[in-house]
């Protein structure tokens, strides 16, 4: 297969990529025909899926703004995908021009495009790594020299933990990331769920098995456990549109239809 200009030759374009399918649903330009075919098949089963993807991005933006209000000025965005309009560094630097962001993704296409799009931005960096290797992520972030782990950090895991199967012990992975953070740090998670979902949504989620990153649907209790002993911010772990909406009109009658929970927690100073 002919490789598009500028992409590494080792990228496998014979299989769809979750990051590129996500980019397509968000209206991005960094996807290929094989990704669009799977996206359209999924969309035919769940017509509101593009809206679901946008709801996830809107939750992330609201969470980032909340962290900025709390004084966070550095972010580790794991599972960042391909930067599109309104990504983390744009939201953060609009409020704080000195905010620093390190993007991490497993997809080489996402990483290649991220590096191209962010070239020349000295306050952002990109790491090619797997969330299942948190020590490698932490080491890579330290090597970039953009993040100070002795200061409060925003750890962003938006729509990525559900790609880790139970066999790979996601709870331990997140515990490693939390252990590296200083008091005052915040953790943001959004995660797909089977709770309150119609059968067609569950069927569409199972199509993820055709990509390199199959989705594991989890309960509210399981998602909540990923925050460990950090203090959950109000309103807790809820369906994404219910997490601090900008206005009541932003929440429709069925916020559960987006099929994912979202939550934010803070690492409070341990007591002696």
């Amino acid at each position: 297969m002919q490789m598009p200009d500028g992409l590494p030759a080792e990228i496998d374009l014979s299989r769809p990529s979750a990051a590129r399918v996500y980019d397509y649903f968000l209206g991005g330009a960094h996807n290929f025909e094989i990704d669009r075919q799977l996206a359209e098949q999924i969309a035919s089963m769940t017509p509101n899926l593009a809206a679901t993807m946008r709801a996830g991005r809107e939750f992330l933006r609201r969470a980032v703004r909340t962290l900025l209000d709390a004084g966070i000025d550095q972010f580790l965005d794991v599972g960042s995908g391909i930067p599109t309009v309104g990504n983390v560094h744009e939201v953060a630097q609009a409020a704080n021009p000195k905010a620093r962001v390190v993007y991490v993704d497993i997809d080489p296409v996402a990483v290649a495009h991220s590096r191209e799009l962010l070239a020349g931005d000295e306050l952002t960096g990109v790491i090619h790594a797997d969330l299942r290797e948190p020590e490698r992520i932490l080491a890579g972030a330290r090597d970039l020299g953009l993040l100070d782990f002795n200061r409060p950090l925003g750890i962003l895991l938006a729509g990525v933990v559900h790609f880790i199967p139970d066999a790979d012990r996601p709870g331990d992975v997140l515990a490693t990331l939390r252990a590296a953070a200083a008091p005052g740090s915040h953790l943001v998670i959004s995660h797909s769920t089977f709770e309150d979902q119609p059968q067609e949504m569950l069927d569409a989620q199972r199509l993820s098995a055709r990509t390199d990153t199959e989705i594991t649907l989890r309960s509210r209790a399981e998602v909540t456990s990923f925050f460990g002993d950090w203090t959950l911010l109000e309103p807790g772990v809820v369906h994404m549109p219910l997490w601090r909406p900008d206005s009541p009109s932003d929440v429709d009658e069925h916020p559960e239809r987006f099929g994912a929970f979202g939550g934010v927690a803070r690492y409070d100073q341990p007591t002696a």
Side-chain angles (χ1 to χ4, degrees), residues 6 34 39 53 61 77 79 84 101 109 118 130 143 146 196 227 233 240-241 271:
I34 195 165
M53 300 293 186
R61 291 172 186 162
D77 185 1
T84 57
V101 180
V109 171
L118 300 173
D130 189 331
D143 288 344
L146 289 172
D196 307 320
F227 292 99
L233 305 188
M240 292 187 300
T271 57

Side-chain angles (χ1 to χ4, degrees), residues 25 38-39 41-49 198-211 215 217:
F25 278 121
L38 177 58
Q41 183 178 354
I42 296 173
S44 69
M45 300 173 65
T46 54
N48 70 323
L49 191 56
Q199 187 59 48
E200 58 266 26
M201 176 65 78
L202 302 180
D203 291 341
Q205 295 280 21
R206 293 190 182 97
L207 284 177
S208 69
R210 289 181 49 193
T211 73
I215 291 175
L217 304 177

Side-chain angles (χ1 to χ4, degrees), residues 101-104 115 118 121-127 144 146:
V101 180
V102 171
Y103 291 112
V104 184
R115 287 175 173 160
L118 300 173
D121 186 339
E122 296 181 352
L123 298 180
T124 65
V126 185
I127 298 172
L144 285 176
L146 289 172

Side-chain angles (χ1 to χ4, degrees), residues 12 79-80 90 110 126 181-182 231 235 268 272:
D12 182 5
S80 53
E90 289 181 343
V126 185
T231 302
D268 290 326

Side-chain angles (χ1 to χ4, degrees), residues 154-197:
I155 302 174
L156 312 177
L157 300 170
V160 63
V161 181
H162 50 224
F163 292 124
I164 303 182
D166 293 338
D168 288 334
R169 305 177 66 87
D172 291 348
V173 169
L174 267 68
T176 299
L177 292 176
R178 294 196 310 270
S185 295
H186 288 63
L187 174 60
V188 176
I189 299 175
S190 59
H191 193 298
S192 294
T193 183
F194 55 81
E195 292 188 7
D196 307 320
Q197 297 309 299

Side-chain angles (χ1 to χ4, degrees), residues 110-159:
V111 171
H113 279 300
S114 297
R115 287 175 173 160
E116 178 183 3
L117 292 169
L118 300 173
D121 186 339
E122 296 181 352
L123 298 180
T124 65
V126 185
I127 298 172
H128 182 206
D130 189 331
L131 176 56
R132 290 170 293 186
E133 300 175 321
E135 295 90 350
R136 180 180 172 189
I137 290 174
L138 294 169
R142 291 188 177 99
D143 288 344
L144 285 176
L146 289 172
L147 306 181
D148 180 356
F149 284 87
N150 294 313
R151 298 176 53 247
L153 171 70
I155 302 174
L156 312 177
L157 300 170

